[in-house]
């Protein structure tokens, strides 16, 4: 990890605060600092322990976005953070907070900086240990739970330290790209600390000697290797390093692949882009290209099982440069106190000159023209191929877990199109609430959700919020009558893998807006998609009845690997 320098200058993230703050209440200061970090929306559901802060938010430039459930608010804030740089969710004590656990756990696992703000009983109300409503075991239960799910947390009980605590915790979210927790007893929200607060931002720097040595070693190796390649991961996106990555790749002509979680960090039509690297689960040519490399730069990559094809990935550490926000390793040498950004930037500046590796022609959805077969029953691979034709720079694709994700990995991401998915934590129910977060973070873009029927039944009611905001989101429900992935994982006709068949396409009518479509064939899907794309008045939901027994190739490959381990 890099050194922390305390400065009184503006931080790179969360800049623009005055050096001294006086006259603000704890709640007002928190709002000011959230704005410094670019937060314009806070997701959640009010309750009496957080009402004072909600009214403060209401009077501020930050918009409160209410959802149908707290876990959905968490998913929305997570997606907002992924697209915007930081997100926030604000809920009441325990009944609200504890409902957030799963979404916040996902944000932790996948490095998404979500600020969890929660109210709690006032300090003065706690005398004599009363049984106040929403209390679980003692007043700290919720705090203790979130301690396990967040990178930093604080309970704002002391006016003298409250502002510093807010600074510290928000800085941790920006530094580590993980969720943080801020609990405000309700009688502290309006308290104005007496002491002026000297604003201090913690600015991270690399150790220059270590950085120079690491970059020199990487440069030497790149200059003498034969088959270099880059595997770019999700941290490139989280730390905003896409331009730096491109500078390195283009300057040294190093081919790039990405992991599933890192999909969309660069345009998949870039001439140096090889494909998605997913170990033995992915395209054989890409796997071979990466694993044959004698100098593989893993940049901002998580070594997770799904990212690396259920550990079938055959990567020899002796042939890798592994750089993330947490560690830097070149072969078996470990370097400390080097920031990922500095490492990539400095290495790019040296312009190493490895031999130019011919890039294999990988067959993907853009290689062949999609020819519609209007009367054929719709299959997920054909649906994705058709959707692929309509993707452009103005689309954000959000894929839920199940075949939605596996099939969607085949989409060819263009320009700076975003692709979001909980590809590592793999919690069902992420996508529809996440669409709310992405639409609010980037109202100029259009979100397309791909979600299985099972996952939709979990949080699909957030469609109601999309309707409320009149976002032109397109939600494609892959209806295969149940938990298709589980059926493949563990073959047999188990009732527990079936879900109640819903008339999903009728939900827009029930929720009071948007348009529903029900399709069985390719021709019907094509017509529905065209109509949905042309309609920007509100959300569209396309219920696609998949051909029986249908599944993507990626799912078949994955389940084959997974089932061997179960
Ligand atoms: C919250 C949660 N519960 C359970 C699971 C286990 N699980 C993984 S995939 C899956 C089935 C998904 O069904 P569906 O959304 O219809 O997608 P399909 O597999 O049919 O494409 C289940 C139950 C999970 N990943 N997340
Ligand atoms: Mg299903």
């Amino acid at each position: 990890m890099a050194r922390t320098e305390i400065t009184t200058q503006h931080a790179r993230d969360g800049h623009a605060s005055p050096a001294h703050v006086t006259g603000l209440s704890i709640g007002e200061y928190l709002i000011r600092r959230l704005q410094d970090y670019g937060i314009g929306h806070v997701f959640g559901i009010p309750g009496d322990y957080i009402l004072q802060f909600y009214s403060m938010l209401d009077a501020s430039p930050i918009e409160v976005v209410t959802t149908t459930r707290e876990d959905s608010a968490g998913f929305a804030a997570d997606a907002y953070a992924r697209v915007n740089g930081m997100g926030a969710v604000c809920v009441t004590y325990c009944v609200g907070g504890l409902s957030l656990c799963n979404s916040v756990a996902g944000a932790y696992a996948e490095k998404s900086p979500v600020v969890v703000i929660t109210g709690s009983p006032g300090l003065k109300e706690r005398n004599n240990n009363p049984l106040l409503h929403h209390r679980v075991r003692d007043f700290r239960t919720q705090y203790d739970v979130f301690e396990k799910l967040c990178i930093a947390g604080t309970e704002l009980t002391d006016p003298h330290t409250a502002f510093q605590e807010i600074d510290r915790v928000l800085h941790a979210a920006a530094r580590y790209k993980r969720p943080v927790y801020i609990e405000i007893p309700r009688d502290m929200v309006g308290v104005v600390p007496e002491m002026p607060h000297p604003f201090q931002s913690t600015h991270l720097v690399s150790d220059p000697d270590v950085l120079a040595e690491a970059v020199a070693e990487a440069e030497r190796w790149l200059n003498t290797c034969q088959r270099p390649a880059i595997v770019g991961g999700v941290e490139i996106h989280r730390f905003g390093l896409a331009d730096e990555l491109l500078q390195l790749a283009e300057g040294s002509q190093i081919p790039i692949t990405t992991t599933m979680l890192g999909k969309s960090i660069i345009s998949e039509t870039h001439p140096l882009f090889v494909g998605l690297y997913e170990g033995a689960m992915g395209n054989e040519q890409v796997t071979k290209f990466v694993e044959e490399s004698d100098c593989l730069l893993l940049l901002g990559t998580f070594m997770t099982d799904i990212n690396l094809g259920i550990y079938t990935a055959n990567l020899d550490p002796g042939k890798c440069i592994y750089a993330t926000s947490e560690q830097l390793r070149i072969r078996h040498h470990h370097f400390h106190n080097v920031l990922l950004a500095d490492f990539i930037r400095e290495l790019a500046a040296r312009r190493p000159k490895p031999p130019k590796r011919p890039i294999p022609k990988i067959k993907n959805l853009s290689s062949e023209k999609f020819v519609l077969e209007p009367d054929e029953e719709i299959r997920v691979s054909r649906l994705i191929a058709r959707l692929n034709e309509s993707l452009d720079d103005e689309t954000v694709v959000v894929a839920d877990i199940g075949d939605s994700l596996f099939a969607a990995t085949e989409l060819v991401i263009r320009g700076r199109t975003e692709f979001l998915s909980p590809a590592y934590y793999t919690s069902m129910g992420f996508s529809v609430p996440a669409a709310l977060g992405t639409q609010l973070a980037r109202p100029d873009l259009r979100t397309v959700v791909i979600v299985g029927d099972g996952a939709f039944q979990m949080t699909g009611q957030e469609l109601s919020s999309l309707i409320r905001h009149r976002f032109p989101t397109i939600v494609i429900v892959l209806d295969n009558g149940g938990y298709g992935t589980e059926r493949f994982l563990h073959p047999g006709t188990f009732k527990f893998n079936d879900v109640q068949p819903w008339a999903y396409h009728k939900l827009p009518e029930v929720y009071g807006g948007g348009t529903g479509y029900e399709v069985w064939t390719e021709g019907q899907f094509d017509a529905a998609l065209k109509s949905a794309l042309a309609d920007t008045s509100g959300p569209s939901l396309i219920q696609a009845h998949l051909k029986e027994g249908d599944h993507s190739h990626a799912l078949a490959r994955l389940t084959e690997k997974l089932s061997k381990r179960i």
Side-chain angles (χ1 to χ4, degrees):
M1 263 193 286
R3 285 192 307 204
T4 301
E5 272 189 0
I6 305 288
T7 69
T8 47
Q9 288 160 13
H10 298 163
R12 229 181 333 191
D13 296 298
H15 42 276
S17 261
H20 287 273
V21 180
T22 42
L24 292 183
S25 66
I26 294 175
E28 286 166 338
Y29 184 75
L30 175 56
I31 290 173
R32 166 89 69 96
R33 297 296 288 130
L34 292 174
Q35 288 176 265
D36 290 345
Y37 282 97
I39 290 176
H41 302 84
V42 168
F43 301 87
I45 296 178
D48 61 344
Y49 289 115
I50 192 72
L51 272 180
Q52 289 92 334
F53 189 64
Y54 257 72
S55 10
M56 243 179 218
L57 278 171
D58 194 57
S60 82
I62 293 183
E63 190 186 332
V64 175
V65 180
T66 53
T67 51
T68 60
R69 312 159 36 125
E70 278 87 358
D71 61 348
S72 292
F75 288 135
D78 176 346
Y80 186 91
R82 291 178 196 215
V83 177
N84 180 57
M86 199 182 280
V89 58
C90 184
V91 293
T92 194
Y93 186 54
C94 290
V95 286
L98 295 177
S99 294
L100 269 179
C101 288
N102 184 48
S103 342
V104 173
Y108 188 99
E110 297 192 354
K111 288 215 152 190
S112 180
V114 173
V115 184
V116 178
I117 302 162
T118 169
S120 63
L123 297 180
K124 292 193 199 83
E125 301 169 70
R126 301 186 191 189
N127 295 337
N128 303 324
N129 207 13
L131 294 177
L132 299 177
H133 63 285
H134 302 342
R135 182 179 145 173
V136 183
R137 204 156 133 176
D138 56 41
F139 288 118
R140 269 185 73 89
T141 306
Q142 182 177 272
Y143 187 99
D144 290 343
V145 168
F146 277 89
E147 196 153 53
K148 299 276 185 287
L149 305 175
C150 292
I151 193 79
T154 186
E155 199 186 349
L156 302 177
T157 50
D158 181 353
H160 294 108
T161 57
F163 287 11
Q164 277 158 27
E165 281 294 283
I166 291 170
D167 291 351
R168 175 181 68 80
V169 165
L170 294 182
H171 174 73
R175 162 72 182 97
Y176 297 102
K177 309 290 179 210
R178 305 255 199 210
V180 294
Y181 178 81
I182 298 177
E183 183 172 317
I184 325 177
R186 63 174 157 183
D187 55 3
M188 296 298 287
V189 176
V191 172
V192 178
E194 279 167 18
M195 303 276 288
H197 170 58
F199 174 74
Q200 293 195 322
S201 75
T202 39
H203 181 61
L204 290 164
V205 287
S206 297
D207 182 319
D209 298 336
V210 185
L211 175 65
E213 209 171 301
V215 169
E217 182 167 336
E219 185 194 6
R220 265 197 311 277
W221 188 10
L222 274 167
N223 282 335
T224 50
C225 76
Q226 296 303 312
R227 295 176 301 281
I230 292 173
V231 181
V234 68
E235 283 195 339
I236 298 297
H237 192 280
R238 297 286 190 272
F239 289 88
L241 299 173
D243 289 335
E244 285 81 352
L245 180 80
L246 273 184
Q247 257 157 31
L248 173 64
E250 287 171 357
S252 297
Q253 288 296 297
I254 308 173
I256 311 181
T257 64
T258 59
T259 59
M260 209 192 291
L261 208 55
K263 189 174 169 74
S264 89
I265 57 169
I266 74 153
S267 162
E268 294 182 354
T269 51
H270 190 284
L272 286 170
F273 184 72
V274 184
L276 207 62
Y277 175 65
E278 301 164 271
M281 195 178 100
N283 179 298
E284 272 173 29
Q285 277 173 287
V286 182
T287 306
K288 197 159 168 279
F289 188 83
V290 168
E291 294 177 5
E292 273 181 3
S293 168
D294 60 345
C295 181
L296 186 63
L297 287 112
L298 296 152
L299 302 176
T301 312
F302 280 4
M303 307 297 247
T304 71
D305 55 354
I306 297 223
N307 248 350
L308 298 182
I310 313 302
Y311 287 133
T312 51
N314 198 2
L315 302 178
D316 173 359
K319 292 183 178 160
C320 294
I321 295 177
Y322 184 47
T324 69
S325 65
E326 287 163 26
Q327 58 167 302
L328 172 60
R329 206 179 61 206
I330 301 180
R331 292 194 182 105
H332 299 291
H333 298 164
H334 289 257
F335 296 85
H336 301 285
N337 297 329
V338 178
L339 290 175
L340 177 62
D342 290 342
F343 179 70
I344 299 178
R345 222 175 276 136
E346 288 290 311
L347 189 57
R350 303 271 185 112
R351 284 191 170 246
K353 288 272 164 288
K356 194 162 168 14
R357 246 183 121 179
I359 294 175
K361 268 248 149 301
I362 307 286
K363 214 173 130 222
N364 65 23
L365 287 181
S366 292
S367 322
E368 282 164 34
K369 176 116 188 67
F370 176 80
V371 183
L372 192 75
E373 300 197 26
D375 298 328
E376 279 294 308
E377 283 179 81
I378 190 90
R379 287 174 170 277
V380 65
S381 51
R382 296 281 297 164
L383 182 151
I384 292 292
R386 170 62 191 88
L387 179 63
N388 191 60
E389 285 204 313
S390 299
L391 282 193
D392 58 25
D393 281 9
E394 261 109 67
T395 325
V396 182
V397 179
V398 185
D400 215 294
I401 290 315
D403 221 3
S404 309
L405 171 62
F406 302 122
T409 55
E410 286 169 22
L411 287 170
V412 179
I413 301 298
R414 296 168 179 85
R416 288 278 165 96
T417 315
E418 300 264 4
F419 178 82
L420 300 188
S421 174
Y424 164 49
Y425 186 63
T426 59
S427 175
M428 288 162 73
F430 173 83
S431 61
V432 181
L436 181 66
T438 51
Q439 294 278 205
L440 283 157
R442 292 295 304 270
D444 53 319
L445 303 180
R446 187 170 208 181
T447 307
V448 175
V449 170
I450 309 168
V451 54
D453 48 352
F456 185 90
Q457 291 201 2
M458 291 187 174
T459 57
Q461 68 191 10
E462 221 44 63
L463 178 66
S464 161
S465 306
L466 291 165
I467 291 169
R468 194 173 174 190
H469 290 266
R470 296 205 171 86
F471 286 132
T473 312
I474 300 175
V475 178
I476 302 171
V477 180
L478 302 181
D479 185 353
N480 56 8
Y483 303 145
T485 306
E486 305 284 323
R487 288 187 187 131
F488 278 97
L489 215 58
H490 192 46
T493 38
F494 298 113
K495 269 219 176 84
F496 58 66
N497 281 329
D498 300 339
V499 300
Q500 172 69 12
W502 290 4
Y504 303 96
H505 65 287
K506 290 198 172 153
L507 287 173
E509 194 189 324
V510 175
Y511 293 153
T515 310
Y517 302 86
E518 189 177 24
V519 306
W520 286 265
T521 65
E522 287 191 13
Q524 290 167 340
F525 177 70
D526 177 66
L529 186 63
K530 277 189 187 129
S531 167
L533 285 166
D535 176 7
T536 51
S537 65
S540 301
L541 185 147
I542 304 175
Q543 176 175 1
H545 294 273
L546 297 178
K547 190 178 163 94
E548 205 176 328
D550 180 47
H551 58 86
S552 69
H553 303 301
L555 174 59
R557 286 195 298 261
L558 173 74
T559 46
E560 191 196 319
K561 301 282 180 259
L562 270 177
S563 53
K564 285 191 185 133
R565 309 175 103 228
I566 292 174

